[in-house]
Amino acid sequence: MIIRLASNYTLSEDSAIATLLNKNGIGFSEVVTQYGHYLVAPLKGDMDIRLIGHLTEVDDVYRVSDAYKLVSRKWKLKNTSIDLGDNIVIGDGSLSIMAGPCSIESEAQIESTVKHLLDRGISIMRGGVYKPRSSPYSFRGLGMEGLKLFYKHCQDNGIKVITEVMMVEQIEEMHDYVDIFQVGARNSQNFNLLDALGKIDKAVMIKRGISGTIEELLQSAEYVFSNGNEKILLCERGIRSYEKAYRNTMDVNAIAVLKDRSHLPVIADPSHGVGVRKYVDKIAMASVMAGADGVILEVHEVPQKAFSDGAQTLSYGQASVLYEKLRQLDQLKSQFATL
Ligand code: PEP
Ligand code: MN
């Protein structure tokens, strides 16, 4: 169950709510976020929750039986939207498009990407500076030097930055140069990293693990929320299956399911989701129709020369056509809305 307390309330051992829960043998965790003050406790079938609900310090009480609680739709029907500032909001009903290279490679590449995004009215740029690579001999990113350049050019042009953080130790130095921290598929269940990202006031996009279930992704999000940060995006980026005709199997089902089970915004990553350039546009469109709040795409001036993930990266020309198709679909989608 989730008990939402009055937000300025200070909980103490002899608070009426603590006394009541203790008397009924219910252990609880206190969660204080940017927006709310909650107690999360196991449901006890024989307890009358009206006894909790009528206490003056309690705003509301909800029965949530899922393994994940604060990220569940069961207590919060309204979609969560994430305000990045400068009128850039994710999850408010409009389609968010994030685009950029897999890896930040040079200042010239940043400038060229920023220009492409500005031309196309896109206000969030992706790009990795710390790259998780399957081979230790592959390019592993430009690190902080690259991030500072990335952020500077974006900030000068009103563009927000999303980039991957791989270790707890990187959060502090990256903090001022990032608008959305990305947790990569390989770190989806790095609980120490999730705990630490829960303690800052920046948006966090968590990618689904390569072999992760939907419930595991939601529990990863619960780590961030329960540490105090409600600014969470969920990302479907394809899972490993037996199929070898493409890199990953984009689980479009998961988009619909995540939208149903959670109030958090869902971002689709069709670039990694299918992993083959010529299919990315179709899978991106399918993701929008499945209910994604946004799409993150890998684009590069010359995809064949990209330092990483070139085979799934769109050229500026290909990406530009896709952005327009996605925007049109998003308009059309409202006619078919089921949620
Ligand atoms: C990426 O976004 O470039 C990336 C490495 O993604 P993932 O963690 O989904 O593989
Ligand atoms: Mn990539």
Side-chain angles (χ1 to χ4, degrees):
M1 106 184 105
I2 294 173
I3 301 162
R4 191 153 51 84
L5 300 180
S7 48
N8 53 0
Y9 183 73
T10 311
L11 187 73
S12 66
E13 261 175 47
D14 53 7
S15 297
I17 180 70
T19 309
L20 180 65
L21 292 172
N22 289 335
K23 205 175 79 193
N24 283 274
I26 301 175
F28 60 89
S29 304
E30 184 181 11
V31 174
V32 183
T33 72
Q34 309 99 327
Y35 307 123
H37 188 175
Y38 315 87
L39 301 182
V40 181
L43 269 177
K44 244 194 154 191
D46 55 351
M47 184 170 179
D48 183 348
I49 62 166
R50 289 173 303 178
L51 293 174
I52 298 173
H54 97 280
L55 296 174
T56 49
E57 65 261 41
V58 173
D59 266 357
D60 218 334
V61 54
Y62 312 86
R63 287 183 178 276
V64 183
S65 50
D66 300 320
Y68 47 89
K69 305 221 178 278
L70 290 159
V71 304
S72 171
R73 178 79 83 179
K74 289 217 175 109
W75 76 277
K76 189 178 177 211
L77 206 54
K78 192 170 173 281
N79 288 327
T80 289
S81 61
I82 292 166
D83 191 344
L84 299 175
D86 304 317
N87 293 321
I88 302 170
V89 182
I90 299 174
D92 64 351
S94 63
L95 182 73
S96 299
I97 301 181
M98 316 180 191
C102 178
S103 301
I104 296 297
E105 299 168 1
S106 66
E107 186 164 17
Q109 179 220 33
I110 298 167
E111 285 170 340
S112 137
T113 313
V114 165
K115 185 178 177 316
H116 162 70
L117 299 182
L118 286 177
D119 286 349
R120 302 293 156 191
I122 292 176
S123 46
I124 307 175
M125 176 167 160
R126 64 147 289 145
V129 296
Y130 292 115
K131 298 301 303 176
R133 303 306 302 276
S134 302
S135 163
Y137 306 114
S138 302
F139 176 66
R140 292 168 73 177
L142 294 182
M144 278 310 292
E145 204 184 316
L147 181 59
K148 285 180 182 167
L149 286 171
F150 178 14
Y151 187 75
K152 182 189 174 306
H153 284 281
C154 285
Q155 207 191 24
D156 288 351
N157 289 285
I159 290 176
K160 303 293 173 187
V161 163
I162 174 166
T163 195
E164 176 163 356
V165 58
M166 290 175 63
M167 299 191 303
V168 173
E169 297 71 31
Q170 292 165 342
I171 296 174
E172 199 178 322
E173 58 173 6
M174 292 174 76
H175 184 275
D176 292 349
Y177 306 97
V178 172
D179 297 295
I180 307 172
F181 277 105
Q182 173 176 318
V183 176
R186 292 155 194 81
N187 262 321
S188 195
Q189 288 191 303
N190 180 338
F191 300 121
N192 293 326
L193 184 61
L194 297 167
D195 276 343
L197 291 167
K199 296 191 168 74
I200 60 171
D201 188 20
K202 288 260 168 150
V204 178
M205 183 177 86
I206 310 171
K207 290 198 164 195
R208 183 177 178 184
I210 290 173
S211 306
T213 64
I214 290 171
E215 182 164 296
E216 283 166 341
L217 174 59
L218 289 167
Q219 288 194 266
S220 293
E222 189 79 14
Y223 267 86
V224 177
F225 200 131
S226 62
N227 274 282
N229 187 359
E230 297 195 22
K231 297 179 182 172
I232 307 165
L233 307 163
L234 303 169
C235 180
E236 168 57 44
R237 50 79 72 203
I239 49 176
R240 179 161 291 171
S241 77
Y242 53 79
E243 185 49 67
K244 296 278 170 274
Y246 33 80
R247 185 179 178 194
N248 292 303
T249 297
M250 182 69 175
D251 184 5
V252 177
N253 302 4
I255 298 170
V257 173
L258 287 167
K259 287 300 298 174
D260 184 36
R261 304 246 169 117
S262 175
H263 52 83
L264 297 173
V266 175
I267 306 298
D269 177 352
S271 304
H272 294 86
V274 63
V276 182
R277 185 182 307 122
K278 66 178 169 187
Y279 304 129
V280 169
D281 64 338
K282 296 174 183 69
I283 303 309
M285 290 190 279
S287 302
V288 169
M289 292 315 280
D293 297 280
V295 171
I296 185 163
L297 294 163
E298 288 186 336
V299 304
H300 195 283
E301 190 172 10
V302 190
Q304 293 75 6
K305 290 195 176 160
F307 288 9
S308 56
D309 285 352
Q312 66 194 32
T313 298
L314 302 177
S315 67
Y316 294 163
Q318 291 166 330
S320 300
V321 173
L322 179 55
Y323 305 147
E324 282 323 303
K325 285 185 188 170
L326 295 178
R327 286 170 173 149
Q328 281 180 34
L329 267 185
D330 189 48
Q331 294 296 314
L332 201 68
K333 192 175 88 178
S334 57
Q335 293 176 28
F336 300 102
T338 52
L339 261 183

